[in-house]
Amino acid sequence: MIWLVGAGPGDSGLLTLRGFEVLKRADVVIYDRLVGEGVLAMIPESAERIDAGKSSGTHKMSQSEIESAMIKFAKSGKNVVRLKGGDPFVFGRGGEEAEAIISAGLAFEIVPGVTSALSVPAYAGIPATHRAFCSGVNIFTAHDKNNLVPDFSNSTSVFLMGAENAGCLQSKLLETMSPDTPCAVISNGTTSSQLVTRTTLSRLGENSIAPPAVIVVGKVSALNLSWRDNLPLNGKRVIVTRPASRAGKISAMLRDKGAEVINLPTIKTETIHGAIDGVVLSGYDWAAFTSVTGVESLFELLTETGRDIRELSGAKIAAIGSATCESLREHGLSVDYVPEIFDGENLAEGLSERGGKILMLRAENGTPEIERTFIKHRISARHVCVYRTNYVKLSHVPDFADIIIFTSSSTVRGLAVNTSRLREAVAVCIGKQTAQEALREGFKRVRIAKRADIESIVEACER
């Protein structure tokens, strides 16, 4: 994967969130001279750094060498960030690099940056536009010494909020410009509803334009360097309902697939302080964890009470799924059992078959299937609730979504207590129990991930 990332004008605080997000995932970073020191400091230590800086008369790498390097590293399976000062598409040669990537048949993404053309004057207290003084701004390069006087016929003009006045704009432009001048109308830009119409100046007024719209006039309007068209979730709005602290990875994966992602956490979890006071954690054959939150809450409780994990010595460790397993490993614990199907019922089934004394470390209001399974097999287990799940009162709920991701039954109920809308969306669920809850809450189109992990949820969204 290749990302063409705008690093902004220099101040690291002006690097976009998306730019920071992909930079942290880079295996190789090819950066320009104008990238700020603060942004360069954000490059992961594990990433290979390549200085492609150019100054007048001095090039460390030619443009063709930069393009070849990007393509070579990407074809070897590495994540490549091409880090450029300002915005890649404002005098940054991002268009040429995008053309090279498309010719190579590789996946890429444009991550726009804060352009110095507007931000640098703003930092100096100079507004690019002001209603009392001007109604527009033109951006030119002074790099070409032979063409310092702007040639408007070879410039790009961008008009904001142009939906209502496209016809009038067309008439004015035709007074000085060729009817064959390429134009593009972009409605709802950057969202799942984005619509791009390419036309010419002579036909600009013929199209019905939905606001908000940006109108681009000039030769570049005929180019199509779209990186989103071939992504599987392009044009789809996906709502992620899991807690905010858990949404980062899946949101990033969905954006990589082209989705417009809205993080709408419908639940939040809290450790139950005092939950292990007076509770003996030793003497069990199995200590079972039903979630990552359960792992983190137990360690939080042990720390605040001056105890440690040695109390579980002698017990084998069971985890409900791969994410919980990974969390335990990060805390230095090896996991002895993970069920094939990542849900409470199968965890309880597996433990019942293995026998012994069982300590369940779980949510206060967790799935009842665990208790039912133990009762069915006449297994006695000690349940210690180390955290609880609360519903979040949402201040805003979007009008529509194509897909809603539910990672637990509680995320379904959390949405239901906030709104009765959005039931036309496809509910992609982490497992059978969550899917049953979605059906009970009125979702008609319900899909279940093949496995209860993030990667399978994203694959289910693609299907």
Side-chain angles (χ1 to χ4, degrees):
M1 182 69 177
I2 301 174
W3 289 280
L4 301 183
V5 178
D11 183 344
S12 61
L14 296 181
L15 178 69
T16 67
L17 287 174
R18 181 59 174 165
F20 177 75
E21 189 177 73
V22 301
L23 186 60
K24 286 300 182 185
R25 296 158 60 189
D27 300 309
V28 180
V29 179
I30 304 172
Y31 62 92
D32 282 348
R33 180 176 62 90
L34 295 178
V35 175
E37 292 293 336
V39 177
L40 293 177
M42 296 177 182
I43 298 174
E45 289 185 10
S46 58
E48 180 177 350
R49 298 175 176 223
I50 298 176
D51 183 356
K54 300 176 185 178
S55 58
S56 183
T58 305
H59 290 183
K60 293 183 179 178
M61 296 177 71
S62 68
Q63 187 61 32
S64 61
E65 287 173 334
I66 292 171
E67 293 164 7
S68 296
M70 288 191 305
I71 291 165
K72 179 190 73 174
F73 285 118
K75 283 187 173 179
S76 70
K78 294 185 176 180
N79 285 331
V80 180
V81 167
R82 174 71 173 105
L83 194 60
K84 308 168 78 65
D87 181 278
F89 275 12
V90 180
F91 302 123
R93 304 192 76 168
E96 296 162 65
E97 293 173 5
E99 287 179 307
I101 298 167
I102 290 172
S103 296
L106 297 172
F108 74 109
E109 177 182 338
I110 304 296
V111 182
V114 177
T115 176
S116 58
L118 303 178
S119 57
V120 171
Y123 263 42
I126 301 170
T129 65
H130 189 296
R131 291 186 65 158
F133 299 99
C134 62
S135 59
V137 56
N138 300 306
I139 302 172
F140 299 98
T141 177
H143 194 70
D144 185 352
K145 297 180 179 65
N146 298 316
N147 294 289
L148 291 179
V149 177
D151 178 0
F152 288 93
S153 65
N154 284 320
S155 300
T156 304
S157 298
V158 180
F159 299 90
L160 307 183
M161 299 174 283
E164 292 183 5
N165 295 316
C168 182
L169 173 64
Q170 176 195 37
S171 298
K172 292 290 186 182
L173 292 175
L174 282 172
E175 293 176 5
T176 57
M177 301 184 74
S178 167
D180 296 327
T181 302
C183 301
V185 180
I186 308 161
S187 297
N188 294 299
T190 77
T191 73
S192 57
S193 303
Q194 176 174 296
L195 176 64
V196 181
T197 304
R198 286 181 172 80
T199 184
T200 61
L201 187 54
S202 63
R203 306 188 65 182
L204 179 61
E206 297 177 9
N207 299 288
S208 176
I209 301 175
V214 172
I215 297 174
V216 184
V217 179
K219 295 175 183 178
V220 295
S221 303
L223 292 174
N224 185 1
L225 306 178
S226 177
W227 52 272
R228 300 175 72 184
D229 287 352
N230 296 321
L231 298 179
L233 294 178
N234 181 37
K236 302 300 180 187
R237 173 181 282 186
V238 182
I239 290 177
V240 177
T241 59
R242 71 186 327 200
S245 60
R246 302 267 179 252
K249 181 180 178 181
I250 191 169
S251 296
M253 291 176 69
L254 291 165
R255 288 191 181 98
D256 286 348
K257 301 293 184 180
E260 177 193 5
V261 181
I262 298 177
N263 289 318
L264 199 71
T266 60
I267 61 170
K268 61 181 178 181
T269 58
E270 62 172 333
T271 299
I272 302 174
H273 298 286
I276 62 171
D277 291 356
V279 176
V280 178
L281 301 177
S282 59
Y284 292 93
D285 299 295
W286 287 95
F289 295 83
T290 61
S291 68
V292 173
T293 305
V295 176
E296 294 179 349
S297 291
L298 176 64
F299 276 88
E300 182 182 344
L301 291 168
L302 288 171
T303 299
E304 71 181 27
T305 55
R307 300 158 68 177
D308 64 40
I309 201 63
R310 285 176 293 182
E311 292 191 35
L312 292 179
S313 62
K316 292 181 179 180
I317 305 296
I320 198 169
S322 56
T324 306
C325 185
E326 182 61 30
S327 179
L328 286 161
R329 285 174 180 157
E330 288 173 358
H331 284 88
L333 294 176
S334 297
V335 177
D336 301 286
Y337 172 64
V338 181
E340 262 189 53
I341 300 173
F342 299 166
D343 63 27
E345 183 177 356
N346 282 277
L347 175 65
E349 283 281 356
L351 290 173
S352 297
E353 292 171 3
R354 285 158 175 76
K357 294 179 65 178
I358 300 168
L359 174 67
M360 297 295 303
L361 297 151
R362 53 176 302 180
E364 183 179 68
N365 41 2
T367 175
E369 278 75 16
I370 293 175
E371 289 99 328
R372 292 171 187 161
T373 302
F374 284 146
I375 291 170
K376 182 178 73 172
H377 292 285
R378 299 183 179 180
I379 298 292
S380 176
R382 174 72 188 272
H383 296 264
V384 177
C385 300
V386 293
Y387 73 99
R388 64 173 59 92
T389 300
N390 300 315
Y391 300 136
V392 174
K393 182 174 176 56
L394 300 174
S395 58
H396 174 74
V397 178
D399 293 330
F400 78 94
D402 297 291
I403 298 170
I404 303 179
I405 291 174
F406 295 113
T407 53
S408 66
S409 298
S410 57
T411 60
V412 181
R413 294 190 293 270
L415 182 67
V417 299
N418 277 281
T419 180
S420 59
R421 295 186 285 114
L422 302 174
R423 298 307 190 268
E424 74 287 350
V426 178
V428 173
C429 301
I430 199 166
K432 181 178 67 176
Q433 294 158 11
T434 304
Q436 289 171 345
E437 191 68 32
L439 288 168
R440 280 193 289 268
E441 291 295 345
F443 286 90
K444 304 299 182 186
R445 296 185 293 165
V446 177
R447 304 290 183 270
I448 303 175
K450 289 182 178 179
R451 288 179 62 82
D453 55 36
I454 297 300
E455 291 74 15
S456 294
I457 291 173
V458 175
E459 288 172 8
C461 290
E462 291 185 59
R463 290 197 304 274

